[in-house]
Amino acid sequence: MATIETELKDILVKFEQRFDRLDQRLDRIEADLTEIKVDMATVKTELTTVKEDTKDLKGRASAQIWALIVTIMGATTAAIVRFGFMTNP
């Protein structure tokens, strides 16, 4: 049987180095996660703004369509009255 002689101190140093690397990786992951959360909050804010703008545009488009309909009806009525009902003597 082979005997392995290693000092406990060396083993503990290796474990400590590995834990340090893991801790650094976790710190980077945490920083990335924080950045992602900030980006998501920004996206949510921009999405809310886009929704409000779209709602406003829909309202304006509807008002313009009704104004166009009223204008066309008024012009048609004026043309009928002017050229249809009034005959030249």
Side-chain angles (χ1 to χ4, degrees), residues 47-76:
L47 182 60
T48 302
T49 303
V50 168
K51 283 182 181 179
E52 290 173 2
D53 290 346
T54 303
K55 186 187 288 185
D56 186 43
L57 287 174
K58 284 181 182 178
R60 282 193 223 160
S62 177
Q64 289 175 349
I65 288 171
W66 281 110
L68 180 62
I69 290 171
V70 169
T71 302
I72 290 172
M73 289 175 59
T76 304

Side-chain angles (χ1 to χ4, degrees), residues 3 8 15-17 23 25-26 30-31 34-36 41 46-47 49 53-54 58 60 65 69 71 73 79 88-89:
T3 310
L8 183 59
F15 276 129
E16 186 176 339
Q17 289 172 346
D23 193 38
R25 287 180 183 170
L26 287 174
E30 185 178 7
T34 301
E35 185 178 337
I36 289 171
E46 290 176 3
L47 182 60
T49 303
D53 290 346
T54 303
K58 284 181 182 178
R60 282 193 223 160
I65 288 171
I69 290 171
T71 302
M73 289 175 59
N88 285 335

Side-chain angles (χ1 to χ4, degrees), residues 16-33:
E16 186 176 339
Q17 289 172 346
R18 287 184 180 175
F19 283 132
D20 286 343
R21 284 189 300 228
L22 283 173
D23 193 38
Q24 290 172 355
R25 287 180 183 170
L26 287 174
D27 287 344
R28 283 191 304 246
I29 291 171
E30 185 178 7
D32 290 345
L33 183 60

